[in-house]
Amino acid sequence: MKVTGAALPFLPLCRRLLPSRLTGLSLALLKATALEIAILAGHVLLYPSGIAQERRTPPTLPARDTAPLPTRTRPPVVLLHGFIDNRSVFVLLRRSLAQHGRHQIESLNYSPLTCDIRAAAELLGRHIEGICERTGSSQVDVVGHSLGGLIARYYVQCLGGDLRVRTLVTLGTPHSGTRVVPLANAHPIVRQMRPGSPVLEELSRPAPGCRTHFVSFWSDLDHLMDPLETACIDHPDLLAQNVRVSGIGHLALPVHPAVAAGIRQALDTARPGTEATPQADGLTVA
């Protein structure tokens, strides 16, 4: 998937001032970094609004002029945030999903003090069971950003969650572990995201018959993935699709409208047992 960051008014001037050797990849990195800073600033403002768990409300009925798709194609969507974050990161993605017919969307907050991916996966499982009980749906779709994708994958692979999760979309998730920021190892859950950790070894084990369809979005400018390809799913037993995103960073993945379009298409077309391919303007599927 190829997307570009938002246009910035000072970039034409930068092109004139920067030497030619800084064009190309370096300029793309500059644009992505500027976009990341802008998104971070906006997220800091929104963060307090997402601290509390969201209220459980009845599903919103679709607008009269919206052509409904068959109910079986639209299970509830569960959004799961990343490390030291909360549900406010999904404000724009949630709006995009709702505008395109997804009327059962719920976010799960897990504590920033959570120290074990396994415990967070068990919490996710209880949350999903509650959603299925309230909505009458037998399955859900899950979108997880960063650590959230790893928690959801553990639930699917190791806790029998493939019975409940039809499609799992991950955004910038370190499926094979990331080596970035070694000082962060002080936190136990960061150590679980390192290459070779016991949790990642569990996820590398055989998973025959796994019913969930995985779609992993990874960015070539994701500063939190080291190596970049760690955000790809590489497992012989999983039905997985890796979608490459160009020109944006880690924080932009749950925010950028082109990525949102790719997520919507992945959720609307993916079926367990099929080779569904997300399609959108400029997509490059890896």
Side-chain angles (χ1 to χ4, degrees):
M1 176 180 188
K2 186 175 182 180
V3 300
T4 57
L8 300 173
F10 57 82
L11 283 178
L13 177 61
C14 289
R15 292 191 181 98
R16 290 196 298 269
L17 295 179
L18 291 175
S20 59
R21 67 176 180 274
L22 291 182
T23 59
L25 179 60
S26 296
L27 184 56
L29 181 59
L30 176 63
K31 292 168 64 177
T33 301
L35 183 60
E36 290 283 280
I37 293 172
I39 291 172
L40 178 60
H43 189 40
V44 168
L45 295 176
L46 287 174
Y47 191 92
S49 68
I51 292 176
Q53 293 284 7
E54 67 181 359
R55 295 181 180 180
R56 308 299 177 215
T57 56
T60 304
L61 294 176
R64 292 183 179 179
D65 58 350
T66 300
L69 293 179
T71 302
R72 64 182 177 83
T73 67
R74 293 177 180 266
V77 179
V78 181
L79 306 176
L80 195 60
H81 62 79
F83 181 56
I84 315 181
D85 210 338
N86 63 39
R87 60 188 177 87
S88 63
V89 71
F90 291 117
V91 168
L92 295 180
L93 177 59
R94 187 184 189 117
R95 182 183 304 166
S96 175
L97 292 172
Q99 288 174 342
H100 289 81
R102 291 283 178 159
H103 302 290
Q104 296 179 6
I105 306 171
E106 294 199 17
S107 300
L108 172 63
N109 274 2
Y110 57 90
S111 170
L113 300 178
T114 300
C115 294
D116 186 21
I117 287 174
R118 303 176 188 89
E122 291 176 0
L123 173 64
L124 174 63
R126 294 193 296 271
H127 183 71
I128 289 175
E129 288 299 322
I131 292 174
C132 291
E133 183 177 349
R134 289 195 308 275
T135 64
S137 178
S138 62
Q139 289 186 306
V140 302
D141 290 331
V142 178
V143 179
H145 180 225
S146 195
L147 172 61
L150 207 56
I151 291 170
R153 181 179 170 186
Y154 191 92
Y155 166 64
V156 167
Q157 275 189 245
C158 303
L159 301 180
D162 62 317
L163 287 172
R164 288 297 194 193
V165 179
R166 185 191 68 154
T167 306
L168 171 56
V169 177
T170 66
L171 310 172
T173 291
H175 290 287
S176 303
T178 178
R179 296 187 293 264
V180 76
V181 192
L183 294 179
N185 283 348
H187 197 294
I189 211 165
V190 173
R191 294 197 295 271
Q192 291 183 337
M193 289 190 285
R194 296 307 192 194
S197 75
V199 167
L200 295 184
E201 287 183 359
E202 287 184 60
L203 292 177
S204 68
R205 294 173 186 169
C210 184
R211 303 166 181 85
T212 299
H213 180 206
F214 296 82
V215 181
S216 175
F217 289 80
W218 67 284
S219 172
D220 57 7
L221 292 179
D222 190 333
H223 59 284
L224 292 184
M225 297 298 107
D226 181 18
L228 290 173
E229 292 76 12
T230 189
C232 297
I233 296 177
D234 183 13
H235 193 294
D237 294 331
L238 300 183
L239 177 62
Q241 190 111 29
N242 295 307
V243 182
R244 179 175 177 267
V245 182
S246 295
I248 62 174
H250 190 77
L251 297 179
L253 285 168
V255 174
H256 200 285
V259 178
I263 293 170
R264 293 196 310 269
Q265 191 130 19
L267 296 183
D268 287 342
T269 62
R271 299 288 183 277
T274 64
E275 288 291 338
T277 302
Q279 297 292 336
D281 291 342
L283 279 181
T284 301
V285 179

